[in-house]
Every structure is written in structure tokens, then in C-alpha cells.
Amino acid sequence: QVQLVESGGGLVQAGGSLRLSCGFSGRTSSRRAMGWFRQAPGKEREFVGRITGSGGNAYYTDSVQGRFTISRDNAKNTVYLQMDSLKVEDTAVYFCAAGRGSFGDEREGEYDYWGQGTQVTVSS
């Protein structure tokens, strides 16, 4: 089993920054790719980005490229999502997820475990 707990969500003004944290534990969790997804009101969950198990490579959806940064510290059992230049359109519940393997991709089916989600609200 892999357990994931997100934290750091809240209310921020457009143009501001916020950093989300996802603590993870469980077998092979430090070697799994970790993904970030989000779900806005009335919309389906969408892929935001992912990072490989080693932390050597990160990938992002076009809408957040250049503004969001994913990193991980396996020694602290934590993956981060740094969000800068936030837009109102970024408002959503953000989820972290543990991948089946060490590389991962943007498909939800490639992730075995999910956190409970944390709300991010960006005001204009």
C-alpha cells in the first residue's frame, strides 16, 4: 500500500505563488513516478505534471509549463508542486498520485494510489 497526503492549498491572489506538498509512504514509493492532477468545478480531472522516481525529469501540461515546477525529496518522502504566476483558471482541487512504475505518463490509469486532494483557489 502507498499512502499520500497533500497539504499547502489555500486562497491566493492572481499572480501569486503557492507550494503544495505531498507526503508519501509505503512500499516502493520512493521509486514510483509521482503525478499531479487537478479537477476544477464541473470539469473532469486533468493531468498537471509528473516527476520520475529518481526526480531527474519532470513533465508538464502546456497550460502550466513555465509556471509550475515539480520536485521531490525522497529522503523526506515528499513531492512538491511549486505554482507561480497563478491564474484564476488554476482554481481546482489538486491531487497527487503514485504511479505504477518509475517513469509514468499523463494517463490516470497509470497511477495506483491517490491522495485526498487539496483546494487551491485563485482570486482576481
Side-chain angles (χ1 to χ4, degrees), residues 2 4 27-35 37 50-51 53 72 97-105 107-114:
V2 176
L4 306 165
R27 64 188 304 269
T28 72
S29 58
S30 64
R31 294 191 282 111
R32 295 172 180 262
M34 294 290 176
F37 294 78
R50 74 180 195 273
I51 189 166
R72 69 190 294 165
R100 291 179 175 272
S102 62
F103 188 76
D105 63 23
R107 299 173 175 175
E108 291 187 23
E110 293 299 313
Y111 297 85
D112 287 313
Y113 303 96
W114 296 78

Side-chain angles (χ1 to χ4, degrees), residues 7-58:
S7 63
L11 176 65
V12 65
Q13 194 169 19
S17 298
L18 203 62
R19 187 178 75 165
L20 306 183
S21 298
C22 176
F24 57 82
S25 63
R27 64 188 304 269
T28 72
S29 58
S30 64
R31 294 191 282 111
R32 295 172 180 262
M34 294 290 176
W36 284 96
F37 294 78
R38 66 186 182 186
Q39 187 168 25
K43 296 185 178 181
E44 294 184 348
R45 184 183 292 159
E46 67 171 339
F47 171 79
V48 175
R50 74 180 195 273
I51 189 166
T52 56
S54 67
N57 292 283

Side-chain angles (χ1 to χ4, degrees), residues 69-89:
T69 303
I70 300 173
S71 61
R72 69 190 294 165
D73 187 340
N74 285 338
K76 296 182 178 180
N77 295 323
T78 305
V79 61
Y80 305 96
L81 177 63
Q82 177 68 44
M83 303 181 291
D84 298 319
S85 300
L86 282 162
K87 303 176 180 179
V88 173
E89 301 95 296

